[in-house]
Amino acid sequence: MTRIVRCHQRIIRNLKTCSENSEFTISCVGLVIFMDSCTNAFFMLKSPTFQRAATFAFMFLCVNLVMFLVYQNGQHIFNQNEKLRKSLLKLPWIDKPRWLKQTVHVLVTQANANLEIRPYGTIALNYMSFKDLMKFTFSVGNVLYTRRQLASQIQ
């Protein structure tokens, strides 16, 4: 039981250190990839030929694959916390000494706090956030395309 407690404390401490040290990098890389993705979506919609649109779509997929890997790591951390919760709940604690019951209670309580990487407390790195980011990227690209179309119709 001591090994489980130490391991859990080490995971929480290392996650906090990792999250704090990578906030700036994740935010900057995410912003650059987001801006590039919006322009790729815009040019994909604006392209007169299918070949050119396919080129921008391929660039969009390649760039966002890097971002997906970052979000996948965040999802993996979240999934590990869920596995810990389930394994702690399956632990046989009835008819055990009081110290074991208290330790399991403390671990279950601590495990209920989600382990997530949230750069600057903004968005959690998981699949749902990535899906929302992709939706927003296409929305921005579509708004830019529509605005360009309206501006060319007015002139």
Side-chain angles (χ1 to χ4, degrees), residues 28-40 60 63-64 67 133-134 136-138 140:
C28 287
V29 167
L31 182 64
V32 169
I33 289 177
F34 172 72
M35 291 173 56
D36 184 56
S37 297
C38 288
T39 56
N40 281 336
F60 179 85
V63 168
N64 282 305
M67 196 64 176
L133 182 68
M134 289 298 103
F136 186 65
T137 300
F138 275 110
V140 169

Side-chain angles (χ1 to χ4, degrees), residues 26 29-30 33 36-37 59-73 125 130 133-134:
I26 290 173
V29 167
I33 289 177
D36 184 56
S37 297
M59 289 172 33
F60 179 85
L61 288 173
C62 289
V63 168
N64 282 305
L65 182 64
V66 173
M67 196 64 176
F68 177 74
L69 294 175
V70 171
Y71 278 78
Q72 185 180 22
N73 286 335
L125 298 182
F130 183 75
L133 182 68
M134 289 298 103

Side-chain angles (χ1 to χ4, degrees), residues 9-134:
Q9 289 173 343
R10 192 175 308 126
I11 288 171
I12 291 174
R13 195 175 318 118
N14 289 343
L15 177 70
K16 189 181 295 185
T17 303
C18 176
S19 180
E20 289 172 357
N21 291 338
S22 64
E23 285 177 338
F24 182 73
T25 306
I26 290 173
S27 298
C28 287
V29 167
L31 182 64
V32 169
I33 289 177
F34 172 72
M35 291 173 56
D36 184 56
S37 297
C38 288
T39 56
N40 281 336
F42 169 71
F43 286 127
M44 188 173 26
L45 292 170
K46 185 183 166 204
S47 296
T49 63
F50 175 76
Q51 182 181 8
R52 200 156 172 212
T55 303
F56 284 115
F58 180 71
M59 289 172 33
F60 179 85
L61 288 173
C62 289
V63 168
N64 282 305
L65 182 64
V66 173
M67 196 64 176
F68 177 74
L69 294 175
V70 171
Y71 278 78
Q72 185 180 22
N73 286 335
Q75 182 69 38
H76 184 67
I77 290 170
F78 182 77
N79 291 346
Q80 291 300 321
N81 191 41
E82 190 65 29
K83 288 178 187 176
L84 175 67
R85 264 189 227 141
K86 287 180 182 177
S87 63
L88 283 174
L89 291 175
K90 290 179 183 176
L91 215 101
W93 56 272
I94 298 176
D95 297 332
K96 299 293 181 193
R98 187 169 195 264
W99 65 268
L100 181 72
K101 291 179 185 179
Q102 288 176 336
T103 307
V104 170
H105 184 320
V106 168
L107 282 175
V108 168
T109 304
Q110 286 182 347
N112 279 334
N114 288 334
L115 294 180
E116 297 176 329
I117 295 181
R118 287 184 172 266
Y120 297 114
T122 53
I123 58 172
L125 298 182
N126 57 27
Y127 291 147
M128 293 301 290
S129 299
F130 183 75
K131 180 189 72 152
D132 293 340
L133 182 68
M134 289 298 103

